[in-house]
Amino acid sequence: MRAQSSATASPRIAVGTASAENRGASFGTVQAALGVVAFSLTFPATAWGLEGFGPWSLIAVRSVLAAAVAGACLLGLRVTAPERRHWLGLAVVGAGVVLGFPLLTTLALQTSTTAHAAVVVGLLPLTTALLSALRVGTRPSRTFWFAALAGAAAVIAFTVQQSGGALTSADAYLFAALLVCAAGYTEGGRLARQMPGWQVIGWALVLCLPLTVPMAAVALSFEPVHLTAHSVTGLLWVAIGSQFLGLVVWYRGMAAIGIPKASQLQLAQPLLTLVWSVLLLGEHLPVAAPLTAAAVLVCIAVTQRARG
């Protein structure tokens, strides 16, 4: 009788465990999707912020504000400092998503439309998947590499066509932003499996304060500031929405469902940004932009299936 009870109890435990895992995966998907929505508003918010702030002021002040919010959370919850072995990874996150990506994309948006930038940055999921594969030592299939090259070719063709036959300085900034942000995403996703996701971005922001505070002071002294509803709203969103809260849910989602699946959700980001650029900024949408974005989505979807 006892053996029978034990046998009947085990399937129930297995079913309960599977159900809990499914709920965890679903919650992780929702969190990663919320991160994508937050990121899709970054370019339009940056364009608004540039209406009242210089590029260097916007970059530095957004990081300081985000670090102030993150630092208050870390202090309020009395979070202990990360272990020494995590600091190098946190430095990569800081260099990639706190400093590098905001700096390079803000400089690009001075001469590029958000629609154009959104399509170029549509390669970010692919770049993240590539770096993630290299980081964990996997060997992607030939199908993966073929789709990756096809997606890259589509984006390069779009940027060259839009710039009249040559890559512009804005495109150079955007392609560099892809690399540093993908490195930050990959390292942050890895760290989020060992510590809470909000602490990953929180400590990365705090780690950058010795650079961002002096940078903000110098930039504000040289660049004029014109406070408007748009500029203040844009600054607050890129600082709190994109730089902190968006990355909190993004890293939590990556930890729950894995970097490849989270990257697949990010396929919607370029299309969402294109919609925001039309609704919020009144930009004209070139026919090539949604077509290129759609081609990139197909290519990246193939890479995700090939990796799985």
Side-chain angles (χ1 to χ4, degrees), residues 52-179:
F53 293 89
W56 294 97
S57 298
L58 183 63
I59 295 161
V61 173
R62 69 178 276 183
S63 296
V64 172
L65 287 178
V69 174
C73 293
L74 292 169
L75 284 174
L77 295 174
R78 298 181 179 179
V79 177
T80 57
E83 298 177 25
R84 181 177 299 179
R85 60 192 177 94
H86 294 321
W87 282 109
L88 180 58
L90 290 171
V92 174
V93 174
V97 302
V98 176
L99 297 175
F101 187 76
L103 170 62
L104 293 166
T105 53
T106 300
L107 293 175
L109 286 172
Q110 289 189 287
T111 56
S112 171
T113 65
T114 57
H116 178 89
V119 175
V120 177
V121 177
L123 275 181
L124 182 55
L126 174 59
T127 311
T128 303
L130 286 167
L131 290 186
S132 175
L134 293 173
R135 183 74 171 89
V136 299
T138 57
R139 295 182 178 180
S141 65
R142 291 182 180 179
T143 303
F144 178 91
W145 289 115
F146 177 80
L149 292 173
V155 171
I156 292 173
F158 169 79
T159 55
V160 170
Q161 186 270 331
Q162 290 294 303
S163 60
L167 293 176
T168 65
S169 58
D171 294 322
Y173 287 137
L174 290 169
F175 282 118
L178 288 176
L179 294 176

